[in-house]
């Protein structure tokens, strides 16, 4: 018999021989086969089965023994294809594994497949994937969110125990929010970026989607830590024990966000009620003035497109990416033909925007200015966390959009990231917890952010809230 509510419970069942790794893998393979969400781009069925068999024979057990994990299709796994949801990388096979994947495997995890995502992580609805959108598990007329849409939908629909996603501006928290699962974006550098296909390197961070906070903490312990292959990875080792403590915290919220004109009244109301509940529980919850709301989306989209235009230059059809060359083309035309055919519309838009903001004559007006805003924001956020433990905030202005609704207006889609990108601009950890009730009967979460490198308190408090 196989059931899953947490890694801890699964391990207990294994110990008492109520289940096996093979039973777990078979269960998920069956679930994936009958699901119609388009959450996986590829399932490693035979390989996962073989590994489960091997793990069942093994005496020694790692901390993630038999844990069935899906990985977003922008995380490299040696000898497996990886496409970042893009046509340009179709049929590309990884020559090495991401550090995070290596560490999962060392601890006995089973990688069950690669999950659908927006192309190069660019998007909020998973509709920018060359492999089609991911459907919302509770309402197939809606999107699962993006860019880690396949990972969030899989965890929500019970297609794997947990998943790795990546969060450059909200891509773990946003789909977690729409699908009703936990989504953790750690501090920038907490998890090595080695083997994560780059979108915007100073923002990118591997994150975790899971059913509960303890699982996320347990996985983070495994994948975090210094790495010789990523000089931006934090040097500190990360460890954390979550117990059932009941602590009182100092929590802040930005009234500008809760009353933001873009926010759905149902979400505003749900969040206001939750804040009242936190006060009733004895936490100190207070409003904090945040004067940068209007600056964060422009700053984020200038800096990330600039970094993307540089990062994506490697896909030239020669070093990386499929070539679509035509005979007798010169080199510039060769690049142009391959890149035009291989990249989707949104990726092209961002490469062009990024090249523009970096071009001489505009560099200071856009890129330098956005860097200054980022600095200002970081200083301000650091000051805020001198007096507070957490910020509570909405994840998104609205519930999961209907399929096709976002494509018509890219600017509106960018504005939808208004509440998540601040954590990436500032490099701080943030988590989405599926704890709000929305009147449309769709799952809904809120965000909790903590000071840089303070995942320990963030996860402890999140666990405390999830237990209630
Ligand atoms: N929606 C944001 C963007 O398109 C976030 C993406 C992400 O976090 N990868 O840039």
């Amino acid at each position: 018999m196989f059931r899953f509510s947490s890694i801890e419970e699964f391990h207990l069942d294994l110990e008492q021989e109520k289940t096996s790794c093979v039973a777990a893998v078979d269960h998920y393979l069956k679930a994936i086969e009958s699901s119609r969400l388009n959450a996986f781009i590829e399932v490693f069925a035979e390989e996962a089965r073989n590994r489960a068999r091997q793990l069942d024979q093994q005496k020694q057990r790692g901390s993630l023994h038999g844990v069935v994990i899906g990985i977003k299709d922008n995380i490299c796994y040696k000898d497996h294809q990886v496409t970042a949801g893009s046509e340009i990388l179709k049929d590309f096979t990884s020559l090495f594994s991401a550090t995070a994947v290596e560490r999962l495997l060392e601890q006995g995890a089973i990688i069950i497949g690669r999950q659908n995502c927006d192309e190069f992580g660019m998007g909020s609805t998973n509709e920018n994937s060359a492999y089609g959108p991911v459907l919302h598990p509770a309402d197939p007329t809606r999107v699962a969110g993006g860019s880690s849409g396949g990972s969030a939908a899989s965890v929500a629909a019970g297609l794997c125990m947990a998943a790795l996603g990546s969060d450059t501006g909200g891509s773990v928290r946003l789909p977690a929010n729409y699908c009703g699962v936990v989504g953790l974006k750690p501090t920038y550098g907490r998890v090595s970026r080695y083997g994560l296909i780059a979108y915007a390197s100073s923002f990118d961070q591997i994150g975790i989607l899971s059913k509960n906070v303890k699982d996320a903490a347990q996985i983070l312990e495994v994948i975090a830590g210094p790495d010789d292959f990523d000089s931006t990875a934090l040097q500190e080792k990360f460890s954390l024990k979550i117990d059932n403590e009941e602590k009182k915290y100092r929590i802040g919220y930005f009234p500008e966000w809760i009353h933001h004109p873009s926010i759905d009244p149902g979400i505003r109301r749900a969040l206001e009620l939750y804040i009242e509940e936190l006060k009733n529980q004895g936490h100190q919850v207070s409003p904090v003035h945040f004067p940068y709301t209007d600056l964060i989306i422009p700053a984020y989209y200038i800096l990330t497109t600039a970094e993307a235009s540089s990062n994506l230059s490697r896909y030239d059809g020669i070093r990386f990416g499929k070539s679509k060359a035509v005979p007798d083309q010169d080199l510039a035309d060769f690049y142009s033909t391959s890149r035009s055919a291989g990249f989707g519309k949104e990726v092209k838009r961002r490469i062009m925007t990024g090249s523009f903001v970096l071009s001489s004559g505009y560099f200071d007006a856009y890129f330098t200015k956005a860097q200054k805003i980022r600095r200002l924001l970081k200083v301000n956020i650091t000051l805020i966390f001198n007096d507070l433990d957490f910020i509570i905030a909405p994840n998104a202005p609205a519930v999961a959009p209907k399929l096709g609704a976002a494509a018509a207006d890219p600017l509106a889609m960018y504005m939808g990231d208004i509440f998540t990108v601040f954590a990436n601009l500032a490099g701080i950890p943030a988590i989405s917890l599926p704890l709000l009730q929305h009147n449309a009967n769709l799952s809904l979460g809120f965000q909790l952010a903590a000071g840089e490198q303070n995942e320990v308190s963030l996860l402890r408090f999140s666990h405390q809230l999830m237990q209630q």
Side-chain angles (χ1 to χ4, degrees):
M1 182 210 61
F2 172 78
R3 56 177 182 168
F4 184 78
S5 67
S6 69
I7 296 175
E8 204 176 2
E9 184 205 64
F10 170 61
H11 279 171
L12 215 63
D13 284 353
L14 278 181
E15 238 162 72
Q16 299 173 350
E17 295 181 7
K18 287 184 186 160
T19 192
S20 64
C21 299
V22 169
V25 165
D26 282 344
H27 168 89
Y28 288 116
L29 288 177
K30 227 180 184 168
I32 294 169
E33 207 177 300
S34 55
S35 100
R36 296 281 168 269
L37 302 175
N38 197 25
F40 280 83
I41 294 180
E42 189 186 355
V43 183
F44 310 138
E46 250 340 277
E47 184 189 332
R49 259 195 214 108
N50 288 339
R51 182 158 163 85
R53 254 180 242 127
Q54 207 185 330
L55 286 165
D56 278 334
Q57 308 292 317
Q58 226 166 275
K59 290 247 165 347
Q60 234 177 350
R61 290 184 174 180
S63 67
L64 297 178
H65 185 85
V67 174
V68 178
I69 294 185
I71 54 175
K72 183 174 179 177
D73 188 36
N74 62 355
I75 299 175
C76 295
Y77 183 13
K78 191 173 189 296
D79 298 332
H80 295 74
Q81 292 192 11
V82 62
T83 72
S86 182
E87 178 65 32
I88 208 161
L89 277 176
K90 208 169 180 180
D91 306 322
F92 176 79
T93 301
S94 286
L95 299 173
F96 57 86
S97 288
T99 299
V101 170
E102 287 277 356
R103 290 180 180 170
L104 289 179
L105 293 172
E106 272 165 27
Q107 289 303 321
I110 300 170
I111 310 292
I112 195 153
R114 51 189 176 101
Q115 291 160 328
N116 202 346
C117 60
D118 282 301
E119 189 177 0
F120 290 100
M122 298 175 187
S124 310
T125 61
N126 218 121
E127 293 171 296
N128 297 334
S129 165
Y131 304 89
V134 179
L135 308 185
H136 192 287
D139 179 353
T141 67
R142 293 177 190 271
V143 301
S147 64
S148 315
S151 304
S154 296
V155 174
L159 310 183
C160 57
M161 295 181 190
L164 292 190
S166 66
D167 193 311
T168 303
S171 277
V172 163
R173 290 160 285 156
L174 192 68
N177 174 63
Y178 289 158
C179 293
V181 299
V182 171
L184 171 69
K185 178 207 102 71
T187 298
Y188 178 76
R190 178 64 80 196
V191 180
S192 164
R193 285 182 294 112
Y194 181 69
L196 168 68
I197 292 182
Y199 160 13
S201 309
S202 76
F203 293 74
D204 296 341
Q205 178 58 204
I206 289 180
I208 300 158
L209 297 112
S210 60
K211 288 251 184 240
N212 60 66
V213 175
K214 264 194 174 173
D215 288 358
Q218 206 167 327
I219 293 170
L220 183 64
E221 264 192 332
V222 169
I223 63 176
D227 182 13
D228 288 345
F229 295 119
D230 177 4
S231 60
T232 61
L234 297 172
Q235 284 309 306
E236 292 74 19
K237 286 230 159 40
F238 176 79
S239 82
L240 143 85
K241 181 117 202 73
I242 290 191
D243 33 36
N244 291 332
E245 57 173 1
E246 286 283 321
K247 262 180 85 175
K248 303 298 171 212
Y249 290 99
R250 298 162 306 169
I251 305 160
Y253 65 91
F254 305 144
E256 290 91 342
W257 286 16
I258 295 189
H259 298 289
H260 198 266
S262 70
I263 202 168
D264 166 316
I267 296 180
R268 176 182 305 134
R269 185 84 201 112
L271 200 58
E272 281 171 343
L273 286 174
Y274 199 84
I275 287 175
E276 280 315 304
E277 200 180 310
L278 287 173
K279 286 183 189 162
N280 292 337
Q281 288 170 15
H283 300 290
Q284 205 186 89
V285 193
S286 47
V288 180
H289 178 54
F290 184 71
Y292 305 115
T293 306
D294 291 341
L295 301 180
I296 50 185
I297 287 292
Y300 171 81
Y301 274 97
I302 286 168
L303 296 173
T304 53
T305 54
E307 291 189 25
S309 72
S310 158
N311 273 328
L312 271 57
S313 66
R314 73 192 65 170
Y315 306 103
D316 56 10
I318 298 176
R319 286 175 304 164
F320 288 101
K322 275 213 298 208
S323 116
K324 290 272 161 100
V326 182
D328 299 330
Q329 272 186 322
D330 66 19
L331 193 60
D333 286 342
F334 173 91
Y335 289 155
S336 164
T337 312
S338 301
R339 285 165 69 83
S340 300
F343 288 133
K345 201 169 163 193
E346 181 60 28
V347 171
K348 286 179 194 157
R349 179 162 30 231
R350 296 200 191 191
I351 292 173
M352 285 190 273
T353 309
S355 307
F356 174 74
V357 299
L358 288 174
S359 56
S360 66
Y362 294 101
F363 187 86
D364 282 341
Y366 294 102
F367 188 76
T368 310
K369 212 176 207 170
Q371 290 280 41
K372 287 181 183 164
I373 293 170
R374 186 177 198 183
R375 176 88 200 142
L376 208 65
L377 182 82
K378 190 152 173 74
V379 169
N380 186 269
I381 296 266
T382 308
L383 286 176
I384 288 177
F385 285 115
N386 282 343
D387 302 319
L388 288 176
D389 300 306
F390 308 111
I391 298 282
I392 185 169
N395 268 308
V399 291
K402 291 273 186 190
L403 280 162
D409 187 353
L411 271 183
M413 190 187 75
Y414 298 168
M415 288 309 290
D417 298 331
I418 186 157
F419 305 132
T420 48
V421 298
F422 83 111
N424 308 75
L425 280 159
I428 59 173
I431 193 167
S432 170
L433 300 174
L435 287 174
L436 300 185
Q437 206 57 47
H438 189 260
N439 45 18
N441 276 335
L442 281 168
S443 52
L444 184 68
F446 60 80
Q447 226 187 141
L448 217 51
E452 200 171 346
Q453 298 195 40
N454 201 4
E455 281 92 337
V456 169
S457 305
L458 182 68
L459 290 164
R460 284 200 177 132
F461 185 44
S462 299
H463 175 69
Q464 185 176 321
L465 295 176
M466 290 282 284
Q467 289 302 97
Q468 287 160 2

